[in-house]
């Protein structure tokens, strides 16, 4: 093995930096705008590629602005992004019940308590509704508290 440190960034780091620039701007940015927001260290073509990949994943929306695209995130923060990823993984498996059961079985005691609280089942006695959801609310801000919405939905 070489003693030379790798110049490669950890997976997802560039996407996270680009999303952070978009979140802080609060308005659509072109690749050139993102490049400036990140300090100009990355090539515009690299940023354009990252934005195109985020668009393919449904993480950003784009609109034509002159000859370029301007991008805006479809999720409002890292928590919304994590929730979107969890939904994506869940939708890939036809046996959702087993996936959710395995996910819940690996939660810490504190995370399980928080999940029960968010589901309105703080005492563990909640009854499933006809749709299979636990009784109660989805949380203080409702089911879309992270701004994730449906894939392709406009961010507010």
């Amino acid at each position: 093995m070489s003693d030379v440190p790798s110049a490669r960034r950890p997976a997802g780091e560039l996407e996270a930096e680009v999303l952070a620039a978009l979140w802080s701007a609060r308005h659509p940015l072109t690749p050139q705008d993102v490049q400036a927001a990140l300090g100009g260290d990355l090539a515009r073509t690299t940023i354009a590629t990252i934005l195109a990949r985020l668009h393919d994943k449904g993480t950003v929306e784009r609109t034509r602005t002159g000859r370029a695209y301007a991008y805006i995130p479809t999720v409002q923060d890292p928590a919304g992004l994590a929730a979107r990823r969890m939904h994506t993984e869940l939708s890939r498996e036809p046996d959702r019940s087993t996936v959710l059961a395995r996910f819940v079985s690996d939660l810490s005691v504190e995370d399980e308590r928080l999940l029960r609280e968010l589901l309105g089942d703080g005492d563990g006695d909640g009854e499933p509704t006809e749709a299979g959801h636990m009784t109660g609310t989805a949380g203080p801000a409702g089911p879309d508290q992270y701004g994730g919405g449906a894939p392709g939905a406009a961010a507010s």
Side-chain angles (χ1 to χ4, degrees):
M1 299 286 300
S2 171
D3 291 335
V4 177
S6 172
R8 213 162 156 79
R9 295 172 187 246
E13 184 178 311
L14 288 177
E15 285 185 1
E17 289 179 24
V18 167
L19 281 169
L22 292 171
W23 286 323
S24 64
R26 301 190 180 269
H27 63 278
L29 298 178
T30 64
Q32 186 174 356
D33 297 332
V34 173
Q35 181 184 33
L38 295 177
D41 292 338
L42 294 172
R44 188 199 53 78
T45 54
T46 300
I47 292 170
T49 299
I50 293 165
L51 287 165
R53 288 179 180 162
L54 289 170
H55 178 261
D56 290 345
K57 293 177 185 180
T59 307
V60 298
E61 291 183 337
R62 66 184 182 191
T63 55
R64 187 64 88 168
T65 304
R67 291 177 45 198
Y69 284 108
Y71 295 84
I72 190 162
T74 59
V75 294
Q76 74 183 50
D77 58 20
L81 181 59
R84 164 88 47 96
R85 288 178 179 152
M86 292 167 68
H87 280 283
T88 299
E89 288 301 316
L90 182 60
S91 70
R92 289 182 180 160
E93 177 61 44
D95 186 0
R96 295 169 74 98
S97 178
T98 300
V99 172
L100 287 170
R102 296 227 170 105
F103 174 76
V104 170
S105 71
D106 288 338
L107 291 175
S108 68
V109 172
E110 180 59 25
D111 286 344
E112 182 178 347
R113 184 204 57 75
L114 177 60
L115 182 58
R116 288 182 182 279
E117 183 180 302
L118 291 170
L119 292 172
D121 186 24
D123 60 3
D125 292 333
E127 295 294 323
T129 64
E130 287 183 33
H133 298 101
M134 300 302 287
T135 57
T137 63
D144 195 26
Q145 66 188 8
Y146 299 116
S156 49

